[in-house]
Amino acid sequence: MIIKKRYPYWMAAPGVLFFILFFIVPTLIGLFYSFQYWDMFSYRFAGFDNYVSIFTNPNVKVALPNTLIFAAVTTIGKVGIGFALALYINQKLITKQFLRVSFFLPAIISTIAVGIMFTSILHPTVGLLNQILDGIGLGNLKQGWLIDGDIAIYSISMIEIWKWAGFTMIIFLAGLQSISKTYYEAAKIDGANAFQRFFNVTLPLIMPAFNNAFVLSLIGGLKVFDIVQSTTQGGPGNQTMVLNTIIYKSFGKGYYGEASAANAILSILVGVFAITCYKLFQKREVEL
C-alpha cells in the first residue's frame, strides 16, 4: 500500500529532477553572473552595473522595439494563417495528407538554410521576388527587402511566418479534430447556419489550442535570433538588431556579465508576456 501511494511521486521524480538541473540551476547561475564582472577566468561583484550598462546601451533603443514588433507581427501572422490553413485542411479533401505535409515541411527545415534561401530570393537586384515583380509589370513595387532599414524587420517577420505557420496549423488541426461532431449536429438541429456554427461552436471550443499556439508563437517571437542572424546579421547598420543580437555581441566581446544581465532581462520579458497572455486567454477556454 505504501509503495502504491508513493508511486505517483516516483513517476514525477525524473521530471522534477530534469526541471531543477536543466532550468532552475542554469537560471540561478546566469542570474548570479549577471551581477558580476566576469571575464571567464575570474569574476567580482558588480552590483547593478551590468544592468545599467544594458539599459544605457544605445542599441537597446533599436533592439527592444524590433523585438516587440517582430513578436507582434509573427504571432498574428502565424496564428492567423495557421488557423486558416487548419480550417481548410480539416475539410474532406482528396489531397489532405499531401497539403498537411507540404504546409508543415518548412518547420523542419534548418533556420540557417531558410535564411540563406530567402537572402537570395529577396536580393534587391538579382532576387527572384523583384524579378517576378518586374516580369509581371509591377516593377514599381520592388524593394530592398533586407537592406532597407524601414522594412527589413518586416521582411524577416514574413520569412518567420512562412517557416512556422504550418507548425501552428498542426496545433489548430489537433484542436479542431478533438471537437465532437455532435456539437455541430445539435447546432444544425437548432437552425444555426455555417457562420453561427463557426462563432458559437468552433471558436469557443478551439480556445485551448488557440492559447497554446498564441503563447508558443509569442515566446518564439520574443526569443528571435537565428533568422535575423542568418539574413541581415542585425543590419543594415543596426536597424534589425533584436535583444538576442545584443546578448550575442556581448558574449562575443567577452562581456559575459553584461550578456548574462541582458539574458535575464529577456527571460523576464518573455515570462511576463507569456504568463499574462496565457492567463488572459485561459479565461475564455470552454471545457469539451
Side-chain angles (χ1 to χ4, degrees), residues 76-90:
I76 293 171
K78 287 186 282 187
V79 171
I81 295 175
F83 188 41
L85 292 176
L87 288 173
Y88 176 64
I89 291 182
N90 197 44

Side-chain angles (χ1 to χ4, degrees), residues 24-231:
I24 298 297
V25 172
T27 299
L28 293 176
I29 292 174
L31 191 62
F32 169 78
Y33 281 123
S34 72
F35 291 99
Q36 310 293 320
Y37 293 116
W38 177 33
D39 61 2
M40 186 62 74
F41 301 104
S42 62
Y43 57 87
R44 56 189 175 85
F45 186 66
F48 288 95
D49 287 356
N50 289 325
Y51 289 91
V52 172
S53 178
I54 289 296
F55 283 114
T56 56
N57 186 336
N59 289 330
V60 171
K61 295 180 181 179
V62 177
L64 180 57
N66 278 344
T67 302
L68 296 177
I69 289 171
F70 183 90
V73 172
T74 56
T75 299
I76 293 171
K78 287 186 282 187
V79 171
I81 295 175
F83 188 41
L85 292 176
L87 288 173
Y88 176 64
I89 291 182
N90 197 44
Q91 302 177 81
K92 294 181 179 179
L93 302 172
I94 298 176
T95 57
K96 179 188 295 186
Q97 297 301 328
F98 172 77
L99 291 173
R100 186 182 301 180
V101 173
S102 299
F103 291 140
F104 182 73
L105 191 60
I108 65 175
I109 301 175
S110 165
T111 302
I112 303 300
V114 170
I116 294 171
M117 178 179 69
F118 273 96
T119 299
S120 175
I121 292 173
L122 300 179
H123 191 279
T125 55
V126 298
L128 179 62
L129 179 57
N130 279 347
Q131 288 188 357
I132 290 174
L133 291 174
D134 253 342
I136 61 177
L138 296 175
N140 59 315
L141 296 180
K142 293 196 303 183
Q143 302 288 335
W145 303 102
L146 295 175
I147 63 172
D148 184 344
D150 292 332
I151 64 171
I153 192 66
Y154 298 99
S155 299
I156 300 171
S157 299
M158 295 304 109
I159 299 172
E160 179 80 354
I161 292 170
W162 175 85
K163 177 172 171 53
W164 291 108
F167 176 80
T168 309
M169 173 200 72
I170 295 298
I171 297 175
F172 280 120
L173 196 57
L176 288 171
Q177 292 179 349
S178 69
I179 301 175
S180 174
K181 293 181 180 180
T182 57
Y183 293 108
Y184 295 105
E185 292 170 357
K188 283 183 180 179
I189 293 172
D190 289 338
N193 57 35
F195 286 102
Q196 289 172 328
R197 293 196 299 272
F198 175 76
F199 285 105
N200 295 305
V201 178
T202 304
L203 279 185
L205 295 179
I206 201 69
M207 282 307 297
F210 178 88
N211 196 354
N212 290 330
F214 188 93
V215 171
L216 287 174
S217 298
L218 180 63
I219 291 173
L222 292 172
K223 291 169 56 181
V224 60
F225 172 71
D226 47 5
I227 192 65
V228 172
Q229 191 64 20
S230 62
T231 51

